[in-house]
Structure formats: C-alpha cells, structure tokens
Amino acid sequence: MIHRLPAALVAAEQPVRRLLDTVPSAAGTVGFDIAIVRRLMEEGFSNGNLAVIEELISPGCVEHQRGNGPGAEGAKRVVSTLHGWFSDFRLEIEDVVAHGDTVWIRNRATGTNTGSFLGFEATNRPIDITVFDMVRI
C-alpha cells in the first residue's frame, strides 16, 4: 500500500514538466519511487483519478504549471483542466530512469481538443506531444 507522502509539485522551465519533491520514502528503494511516480502519472494525470492526486500530493505541494494553488487542490485543477481541454487526454509513459531519490519520465501526451484551450475555441484536432517529467521522491 502506498501511503500519503509529503510532497511539493513544482513546474520547471517547460509548462508540462512537474517536479514532485518529497522526503525520502520509508521504503527508500528505486522501485518504490518509480511505483509512486507511475501511479501518479497513469492513474492521476492520465486517467483523471483525482482521489490518487489527493492521496499522493501533500498540502504543501505547489503546482506552478499554470499558476494553480497549492496542495492536492492545485494539482487536481491541472488534471481537470487537461481533461477539459482534451476529452480523451492520455499520458503514456515511454521511458523511466531513476537514480537515488529522483525519477525522470518521458511521456507521450495525446488527446483531442474538444474544449476551449487557452482562450481558443475547440478544434477537434488531435495532439501528440512529448512530455518530460522530473520527480524527486
């Protein structure tokens, strides 16, 4: 069972990059760290499961991707916004590298623009972009 971990979710230079800062996990293994990140990306961001976001993101988390508020609520707004812009939004993890307490992920983000996107009307056209995430556990 994965327990709630203290975390800070911070975007880096790219608007789609997230940094999850946590204290060293109780398990302290690379496999455990990858499992946390995989669950966050697959169940939380890709599937839109807000309960997973609530479970894994601490109140002290700050999501800077679009200036959202702190904690799980800020991260949940990001997930909800992505799924609102792209009704079939998916993140597919293509590569994972871990060293120490840091996990790097190369994701493929796909979806169809069915919602107003940054002030522009929906185009109903597909997106297919590469997303790099760096997560520190």
Side-chain angles (χ1 to χ4, degrees):
M1 175 171 206
I2 297 175
H3 298 283
R4 185 179 184 115
L5 301 171
L9 192 59
V10 181
E13 298 171 3
Q14 304 273 334
V16 292
R17 180 179 293 169
R18 293 169 287 281
L19 173 65
L20 177 69
D21 260 332
T22 68
V23 297
S25 66
T29 66
V30 168
F32 182 79
D33 295 348
I34 290 173
I36 291 169
V37 173
R38 184 175 293 280
R39 184 160 183 242
L40 178 66
M41 295 302 179
E42 291 176 349
E43 294 181 35
F45 281 84
S46 186
N47 294 342
N49 185 341
L50 300 181
V52 170
I53 302 294
E54 185 71 38
E55 177 185 340
L56 296 178
I57 304 297
S58 77
C61 153
V62 178
E63 170 60 85
H64 291 285
Q65 196 168 163
R66 295 180 45 253
N68 290 294
E73 291 306 314
K76 289 191 300 187
R77 274 194 291 281
V78 170
V79 170
S80 295
T81 299
L82 288 169
H83 285 270
W85 288 341
F86 307 100
S87 58
D88 55 349
F89 179 78
R90 300 289 300 160
L91 275 180
E92 178 184 346
I93 296 174
E94 295 188 330
D95 288 307
V96 177
V97 176
H99 179 72
D101 64 352
T102 305
V103 180
W104 293 267
I105 308 101
R106 182 172 59 89
N107 296 300
R108 179 179 179 197
T110 59
T112 306
N113 177 222
T114 55
S116 176
F117 177 66
L118 299 173
F120 295 96
E121 292 299 317
T123 64
N124 294 311
R125 294 175 62 191
I127 63 155
D128 190 332
I129 61 171
T130 299
V131 178
F132 290 94
D133 294 301
M134 181 178 131
V135 180
R136 199 170 119 216
I137 302 294

